[in-house]
Amino acid sequence: MGNKRPVRRELLLLLLAAAISAIFYILVSSYYNKIMEEAGVNTTELNQVYQYQYEMIVDSRNITFWQAVYEIAREEALSHGAVLKLNGTDWGQDYDKVDFMDMSIAAKVDGIILEYSGEEGLEEKIDEAVEKGIPVVTVVNDAPKSLRQSFVGINDYQLGLAYGEQVAKLVDSNTRRVLVLLNREKELEQNQIYAEINRAVVDKAGGRGKIKIQAQNLISKSQFDVEEAIRTIFQSPEGPPEILVCLDEVTTECAYQAMIDFNMVGEVNIVGYYISKTITDAIENGLIPVTIQMDAAQVGTYSIEALTEYWEVGRANSYYNVDLNIVTKENVVQ
């Protein structure tokens, strides 16, 4: 009788330990599954073992372009034993890109894909991540002075040439002003996109009178701010420019809406960016003459390719060039 009580106590302790272990396992599994679900991993894929965890950090997860890039990148990552999570500042959130970089570094992820736009402190975070063994791939906009592993996109000179060519085609005898709405923190004299647009317009205009070529930076944490800035342009005493150049999807859509609201169709030519449903419809209806589309599939594929090569080979190309497509009413596809 005297031995039964200690045995019973030991059995209860073992059962309690097993119960605690089971609860811990359930909680850990639940947390892991939540991360996987946020990364878009389905139930079947949850049973797989992933060697790498990557993070993609962009301005907004709601932008059509980044949704397309992420979907391709996610599939490419899964095929190489990696899971990819998308983080976006999603205008109005408390976190910015620097915060997401801090989180990714603290989590010791295996790679970061970053939309860089010259934000204060972001270049230092790129260097910090790389120094801690986390490769960083910048996409669309580059940070050449940082320690980033690779850049996926098209350089500003080539992009400027493409925009300049399209703007020059729209210049006619009625053109008095061209306004370029920039989307990154960079001194105007250092901005090659603006420089090439300026050169193309001057060459096209020749001696037929001076055309004013201006630039305005619209980097903002709020779509409302972008809308208000563009409405101010349309309501200015001198009126809107005859040609308005937009370098991102949100600016293009806001400019298009302002053109409709202020009844300026036919008076303002918008050179847009990307092909969201709104922009595609405007192109098809002849309301936006041209938009320039960076190949989202290539951006997604090359980003994962750079990280994969880094881990498998120990290095990756420093520059992955993607294609640009010029979309007009003649070749737009719904």
Side-chain angles (χ1 to χ4, degrees):
M1 293 288 293
N3 294 332
K4 287 185 178 180
R5 188 166 296 173
V7 171
R8 189 175 300 161
R9 185 181 296 116
E10 290 178 5
L11 180 60
L12 288 173
L13 289 173
L14 286 172
L15 290 173
L16 180 60
I20 292 174
S21 298
I23 292 172
F24 178 75
Y25 175 79
I26 292 171
L27 289 174
V28 170
S29 298
S30 175
Y31 177 71
Y32 176 78
N33 288 347
K34 183 179 179 181
I35 292 176
M36 295 300 109
E37 287 171 5
E38 287 180 357
V41 179
N42 61 38
T43 305
T44 303
E45 294 166 342
L46 282 173
N47 296 323
Q48 299 181 21
V49 177
Y50 297 97
Q51 187 174 1
Y52 305 111
Q53 179 185 343
Y54 300 147
E55 302 274 326
M56 178 180 284
I57 302 172
V58 302
D59 273 332
S60 176
R61 293 176 295 183
N62 297 321
I63 292 178
T64 311
F65 175 75
W66 289 118
Q67 290 174 353
V69 170
Y70 173 67
E71 188 57 34
I72 294 296
R74 173 185 165 275
E75 292 297 329
E76 186 72 13
L78 290 173
S79 70
H80 288 89
V83 64
L84 176 66
K85 180 183 177 183
L86 177 62
N87 293 308
T89 54
D90 291 327
W91 291 326
Q93 271 199 21
D94 293 330
Y95 300 125
D96 58 20
K97 291 184 195 172
V98 171
D99 293 325
F100 280 119
M101 286 292 290
D102 281 332
M103 293 179 204
S104 297
I105 293 169
K108 298 180 180 179
V109 299
D110 300 298
I112 299 171
I113 299 168
L114 173 68
E115 177 194 6
Y116 177 81
S117 301
E119 296 89 338
E120 184 178 355
L122 198 52
E123 191 172 276
E124 289 78 8
K125 289 301 173 183
I126 294 174
D127 293 348
E128 180 183 341
V130 174
E131 288 167 354
K132 291 184 177 180
I134 302 173
V136 177
V137 176
T138 54
V139 289
V140 178
N141 303 319
D142 196 12
K145 295 181 181 179
S146 72
L147 298 177
R148 59 99 172 118
Q149 180 65 37
S150 303
F151 166 60
V152 177
I154 185 166
N155 66 51
D156 285 357
Y157 173 72
Q158 292 173 297
L159 192 57
L161 285 178
Y163 270 102
E165 180 181 355
Q166 298 309 312
V167 171
K169 289 180 180 179
L170 296 172
V171 171
D172 59 24
S173 58
N174 295 318
T175 305
R176 292 291 175 265
R177 191 158 64 100
V178 175
L179 179 60
V180 183
L181 300 179
L182 303 174
N183 63 346
R184 68 193 73 175
E185 293 290 354
K186 185 176 288 188
E187 295 298 328
L188 190 58
E189 59 270 16
Q190 298 175 343
N191 195 299
Q192 288 185 296
I193 298 176
Y194 171 79
E196 293 308 315
I197 293 173
N198 184 82
R199 184 177 294 110
V201 172
V202 170
D203 290 347
K204 175 67 180 291
R208 292 187 295 102
K210 186 175 181 181
I211 296 176
K212 184 185 294 184
I213 307 166
Q214 301 170 304
Q216 183 174 335
N217 204 321
L218 290 189
I219 285 184
S220 173
K221 293 183 180 180
S222 166
Q223 181 170 343
F224 175 78
D225 290 344
V226 175
E227 292 171 350
E228 285 301 298
I230 290 176
R231 292 182 72 85
T232 298
I233 290 169
F234 275 78
Q235 291 176 304
S236 66
E238 60 182 336
E242 287 76 26
I243 301 175
L244 189 59
V245 183
C246 305
L247 300 184
D248 63 58
E249 179 183 331
V250 171
T251 302
T252 304
E253 292 187 351
C254 290
Y256 169 63
Q257 188 59 53
M259 182 179 70
I260 299 296
D261 291 345
F262 289 100
N263 196 27
M264 292 285 184
V265 174
E267 298 180 43
V268 177
N269 283 310
I270 296 173
V271 179
Y273 176 85
Y274 201 57
I275 49 167
S276 66
K277 181 65 167 61
T278 298
I279 297 171
T280 300
D281 289 344
I283 291 281
E284 190 173 50
N285 293 321
L287 302 178
I288 293 180
V290 62
T291 190
I292 294 180
Q293 175 197 12
M294 191 175 293
D295 194 308
Q298 289 182 356
V299 173
T301 300
Y302 294 159
S303 297
I304 299 301
E305 183 178 312
L307 293 175
T308 301
E309 287 187 1
Y310 174 85
W311 289 115
E312 293 183 355
V313 183
R315 58 180 175 76
N317 294 336
S318 60
Y319 179 44
Y320 292 78
N321 190 46
V322 304
D323 294 335
L324 278 180
N325 301 314
I326 308 300
V327 183
T328 64
K329 188 175 182 179
E330 285 67 37
N331 65 354
V332 66
V333 177
Q334 283 280 8

